[in-house]
Amino acid sequence: MAQQESVIARSLDKGVVRAAIQAAFDEQKAREDTQKFVKSGRAKNKYERFADDADFATVPYCLGSDPMKHDPPAIKLGGITIGVGGLLAIPFFAKTVMTGKCRVK
């Protein structure tokens, strides 16, 4: 019994823990570098970012292309979210119109 405890104590040595933490940081850094490479390209300037923010903030027209962008039709059951579309989305559309999340005029 005492021998098993000493094996556990040796496996949790500060050097081993430090090496494991360093390996995790190195892996995270490599993942971030990969994501930077994948997302490379021309960045948006402040005017394009403002235009995107303003477009997202505007209340959509109810008969437009995406009237439920601020309140997407979905049923939440516990931790599961089920997206709804087609004719089943009509009650969600009515709720969006009545709550003012899309504009009629």
Side-chain angles (χ1 to χ4, degrees):
M1 194 80 168
Q3 187 179 11
Q4 289 177 351
E5 291 176 3
S6 64
V7 170
I8 292 172
R10 278 185 283 175
S11 67
L12 295 177
D13 186 22
K14 287 182 181 179
V16 173
V17 173
R18 189 173 294 130
I21 291 171
Q22 186 61 41
F25 280 133
D26 293 341
E27 182 180 329
Q28 179 67 26
K29 177 74 172 141
R31 190 176 305 127
E32 289 173 358
D33 291 342
T34 303
Q35 289 300 319
K36 287 178 188 175
F37 178 73
V38 171
K39 294 180 181 178
S40 65
R42 187 181 77 80
K44 293 183 178 182
N45 61 24
K46 63 182 179 180
Y47 302 109
E48 291 170 331
R49 286 193 308 264
F50 177 78
D52 288 345
D53 292 342
D55 182 47
F56 181 74
T58 58
V59 178
Y61 182 59
C62 288
L63 298 177
S65 63
D66 192 14
M68 295 186 279
K69 75 176 182 181
H70 294 298
D71 193 16
I75 298 172
K76 295 178 183 171
L77 298 172
I80 301 171
T81 302
I82 302 169
V84 179
L87 293 175
L88 296 175
I90 291 174
F92 295 96
F93 178 73
K95 176 186 165 228
T96 302
V97 172
M98 288 188 284
T99 57
K101 299 214 175 175
C102 69
R103 57 186 166 88
V104 180
K105 294 181 181 180

